[in-house]
Amino acid sequence: MEILNTIAEMRARVRAQMLAQTRAAIRATPTRAPAGLGLVPTMGALHAGHLSLVSAARNDCDLVAVSIFVNPTQFAPNEDFARYPRTFDADCALLEDAGVDLIFAPSVEEMYPRTTPDGPTGAGTSVLVEGVSDRLDGASRPGHFRGVTTVVSKLFNIVAPDRAYFGQKDAAQVAVLRQMVRDLNFDLELVVCPIVRDSDGLALSSRNQYLSAEQRSQALILRRALLRVESLVAAGESATATLLAEARAVLNQEPAIRLDYLAAVDPDTLLDVSTIHKTTLVAIAAYAGPTRLIDNILLGPR
Ligand code: PAF
């Protein structure tokens, strides 16, 4: 496994490794089509959710790259950029074990050199997916998705992957990135992997480290609310007003959990739907103390 810190080095290694890897694969099985390069973009503080993305990439691709970059442009000034967990050495050990080929770990200055006096980062250009970026997490965290789409576009341009892997836990991020890939004709497949949970049902997140034992147990109410919705849908309920009212009633059982949003939406547009007649995303964001947690479930016909 190699760790690269500059864009130039990363580009050079990706090219050289792709060539070597593809040649070796063709030599081993001449009839097999090259399986390409997979990229798993992360902000580090890796857990089993990230490793499930790496494992999917390892299954699909000849070469697997993981980026580790805590991207300042997707954090608002009042958010946790400074205290976001940074566990680089432990992350590298996990990725080595998982069979990753390349780690791209640039500095903030490498990704955002101050080339112009304009814009918050000194770069005059950003990528914004109109509309969908303002819904769900985008409504609660103005500017967040502009930061995500800008950095992910940069990563796509630097690494040029054939496939890029993201987690379904960040359902709104998935909707925004899908739209971006379509709109900007990125020549790659976006692969979305299922949510990974702890044995008690809490969706894994790097931010779970912020929770006290009490908050962590209170946070389980998010999953319980989603399971209540799932069981009502299985019993035939399809009106989202009823489903959301039931979910809210469950969430109210844990008054320490402060709801940010609870919504039933189309998973692509993130616009509200009134009945579950096609695949519907039911998504929750809520605060346990100062920590914002998200979780979701996909319901209805797939
Ligand atoms: O999901 C994340 O960890 C981040 O939003 C991403 C995609 C790595 C961009 O910084």
Side-chain angles (χ1 to χ4, degrees):
M1 186 176 80
E2 280 184 90
I3 302 173
L4 295 318
N5 302 117
T6 69
I7 294 168
E9 276 170 345
M10 184 65 185
R11 284 197 162 129
R13 290 313 295 152
V14 164
R15 280 201 195 110
Q17 286 257 26
M18 271 313 285
L19 208 63
Q21 215 92 352
T22 308
R23 278 201 187 126
I26 291 172
R27 219 173 293 127
T29 321
T31 50
R32 171 181 169 277
L37 163 64
L39 171 67
V40 182
T42 81
M43 298 205 300
L46 302 182
H47 50 66
H50 297 107
L51 296 180
S52 76
L53 307 181
V54 171
S55 152
R58 193 64 288 169
N59 271 338
D60 297 344
C61 306
D62 288 324
L63 195 71
V64 176
V66 173
S67 60
I68 299 181
F69 179 64
V70 186
N71 173 37
T73 67
Q74 67 189 77
F75 291 80
N78 62 332
E79 291 184 342
D80 56 343
F81 172 69
R83 64 187 280 259
Y84 195 83
R86 287 159 172 89
T87 55
F88 187 69
D89 292 341
D91 293 346
C92 289
L94 288 171
L95 296 176
E96 176 96 67
D97 284 351
V100 165
D101 300 290
L102 300 173
I103 296 181
F104 179 49
S107 64
V108 171
E109 295 69 34
E110 178 71 9
M111 286 298 271
Y112 298 111
R114 296 202 70 86
T115 51
T116 86
D118 303 312
T121 60
T125 307
S126 63
V127 175
L128 174 65
V129 180
E130 304 269 5
V132 72
S133 290
D134 296 330
R135 299 176 193 139
L136 300 190
D137 304 283
S140 310
R141 303 179 66 188
H144 169 66
F145 283 128
R146 184 198 287 266
V148 171
T149 42
T150 300
V151 80
V152 171
S153 300
K154 287 165 75 72
L155 292 168
F156 286 174
N157 283 329
I158 294 163
V159 180
D162 299 289
R163 295 185 194 80
Y165 295 79
F166 296 90
Q168 172 60 28
K169 186 174 79 70
D170 299 308
Q173 172 169 280
V174 165
V176 170
L177 291 175
R178 275 211 174 106
Q179 183 73 43
M180 179 187 89
V181 166
R182 269 198 302 271
D183 289 349
L184 295 184
N185 308 99
F186 279 106
D187 188 16
L188 55 86
E189 183 191 348
L190 207 140
V191 183
V192 181
C193 298
I195 298 177
V196 178
R197 300 177 180 282
D198 261 338
S199 52
D200 59 7
L202 188 69
L204 294 189
S205 162
S206 304
R207 289 190 169 97
N208 290 353
Q209 306 183 23
Y210 298 152
L211 301 173
S212 67
E214 192 185 15
Q215 290 166 344
R216 201 190 170 295
S217 109
Q218 292 162 345
L220 295 176
I221 203 72
L222 272 68
R223 176 68 175 152
R224 267 185 235 131
L226 293 171
L227 289 177
R228 173 82 182 129
V229 171
E230 186 178 52
S231 68
L232 289 167
V233 171
E237 181 59 66
S238 65
T240 56
T242 309
L243 295 168
L244 295 180
E246 289 285 335
R248 218 166 276 122
V250 175
L251 290 164
N252 286 341
Q253 293 166 14
E254 203 59 86
I257 295 292
R258 190 164 50 86
L259 188 61
D260 175 5
Y261 68 69
L262 167 66
V265 298
D266 177 291
D268 293 322
T269 63
L270 305 183
L271 289 169
D272 288 337
V273 295
S274 57
T275 59
I276 301 203
H277 64 278
K278 55 180 197 158
T279 307
T280 300
L281 172 74
V282 177
I284 301 181
Y287 288 89
T291 306
R292 188 171 178 279
L293 300 171
I294 56 175
D295 201 349
N296 67 80
I297 193 165
L298 281 171
L299 296 168
R302 302 284 151 85

